[in-house]
Amino acid sequence: MFSLVSTTPWYLALVLLVFSNAVIKASAFSRPPANGVVNCQHASSAGITHRQLNHPLFSSNNNDDTANLLEKARRLRQEVSAIESTKMEKQQVKDAEERARQAEEREAQKQKDKQRMRYSAEVPILKDMGDEIMERVDFPPRLKGGKSRIVTIQAPLPLGLVLGEDASMPGLTSVDEVAPDGNGASADIKQGDIVRAVTACQTTMETPTWQLIAGGIGQPKTKRFIYSVDGRPLEEVLDAIGSNRMDVQGRDAWLVLERMD
């Protein structure tokens, strides 16, 4: 047996000694002790090293999971965006349909108002208290084709008109002739006009309450009112027009006429 000190240079011996000690310590650290007691500091360090080696913080599996979650989130956002877009499109279609419906209603109302203005006129209406109020009254067309309109004329008597009744249309009074220098011609009454209504006057006896108590017979009072001549015989129409001479205020007679354009 040879001596390490005698045959080996001192510096090589030192290196071999340090290396031997390191090997011994590593062997002792890797094997569990016989008595089952483990140095806590060594075990803790070993455990941390072991976990770090076997479960790295950014493994390939974690990267795959993150990518999958991001992809699912992207698809979910796309689905939500598509649903919102569909809702918006449906709402836009609904709004467009509502606007179209309202436009149709406005147009229909406009045509209705236009039709009413064409076949109506403001005339003096006698109220219960004896006052006359101007009100718009409808006169549905008697002439077919939709090319007629309602006009009102005010003229003093005599009118200088010849009125007639069409045998094929009983109750329809028409203007057959207009005297060129008559009041009717001056008021723009035209041949072929259809008489729809006139003012008429009627005298009635009105008795105040105090006269009724005293047994009085009352006093005559003349009232003027609008009289529709639709369906009335010609003689009655002529009498109604002539009754305007009874107007105590001497006002012009009103005629509501239907005229072809």
Side-chain angles (χ1 to χ4, degrees):
M1 179 123 186
F2 58 91
S3 174
L4 180 62
V5 176
S6 60
T7 59
T8 305
W10 66 271
Y11 58 89
L12 291 178
L14 181 60
V15 170
L16 291 173
L17 180 61
V18 171
F19 179 76
S20 299
N21 290 333
V23 171
I24 292 171
K25 289 181 179 181
S27 300
F29 183 77
S30 62
R31 294 193 306 271
N35 58 4
V37 178
V38 180
N39 186 283
C40 293
Q41 182 178 0
H42 290 172
S44 176
S45 299
I48 293 174
T49 303
H50 180 73
R51 284 193 299 270
Q52 289 177 346
L53 291 176
N54 289 280
H55 300 283
L57 183 60
F58 298 102
S59 66
S60 60
N61 291 334
N62 288 339
N63 290 337
D64 293 342
D65 293 342
T66 302
N68 290 335
L69 290 176
L70 292 175
E71 178 63 20
K72 290 180 179 180
R74 184 186 66 81
R75 292 179 180 177
L76 182 60
R77 286 195 300 270
Q78 289 180 344
E79 292 176 0
V80 172
S81 177
I83 292 174
E84 293 297 330
S85 177
T86 302
K87 288 182 178 179
M88 185 177 297
E89 291 177 356
K90 290 182 178 180
Q91 186 62 39
Q92 290 176 350
V93 171
K94 185 177 180 181
D95 293 342
E97 292 176 348
E98 180 64 18
R99 288 192 298 269
R101 183 187 65 79
Q102 293 178 357
E104 290 178 357
E105 289 182 353
R106 288 193 298 269
E107 183 62 24
Q109 186 62 42
K110 182 179 178 181
Q111 294 298 326
K112 184 178 180 180
D113 294 341
K114 184 178 178 180
Q115 184 77 357
R116 184 170 191 266
M117 293 299 294
R118 188 178 184 89
Y119 292 105
S120 66
E122 286 190 353
V123 294
I125 300 299
L126 181 64
K127 297 299 183 179
D128 294 337
M129 300 302 293
D131 298 329
E132 280 189 356
I133 304 298
M134 296 298 294
E135 291 185 358
R136 181 164 292 277
V137 178
D138 296 326
F139 294 92
R142 295 290 303 275
L143 301 177
K144 297 180 180 180
K147 295 183 178 181
S148 62
R149 57 189 174 92
I150 297 296
V151 298
T152 57
I153 300 294
Q154 300 179 59
L157 299 181
L159 297 176
L161 305 177
V162 175
L163 303 182
E165 183 177 14
D166 191 342
S168 63
M169 298 181 67
L172 187 68
T173 302
S174 62
V175 178
D176 292 345
E177 296 181 18
V178 180
D181 55 351
N183 293 328
S186 299
D188 198 31
I189 297 177
K190 299 182 181 300
Q191 182 178 351
D193 287 345
I194 305 299
V195 183
R196 301 296 306 275
V198 298
T199 51
C201 293
Q202 185 179 33
T203 301
T204 58
M205 299 298 293
E206 292 190 356
T207 306
T209 304
W210 65 269
Q211 286 189 353
L212 288 175
I213 296 175
I217 61 174
Q219 298 177 350
K221 185 174 182 179
T222 301
K223 297 180 180 180
R224 190 182 76 158
F225 55 92
I226 286 291
Y227 177 70
S228 174
V229 301
D230 288 344
R232 310 309 301 177
L234 179 59
E235 293 77 10
E236 192 171 316
V237 176
L238 295 174
D239 290 342
I241 295 175
S243 69
N244 283 273
R245 294 187 178 92
M246 301 166 53
D247 186 8
V248 294
Q249 300 183 36
R251 292 168 291 187
D252 292 345
W254 279 69
L255 286 81
V256 179
L257 307 173
E258 183 175 351
R259 176 175 296 171
M260 293 296 294
D261 289 336

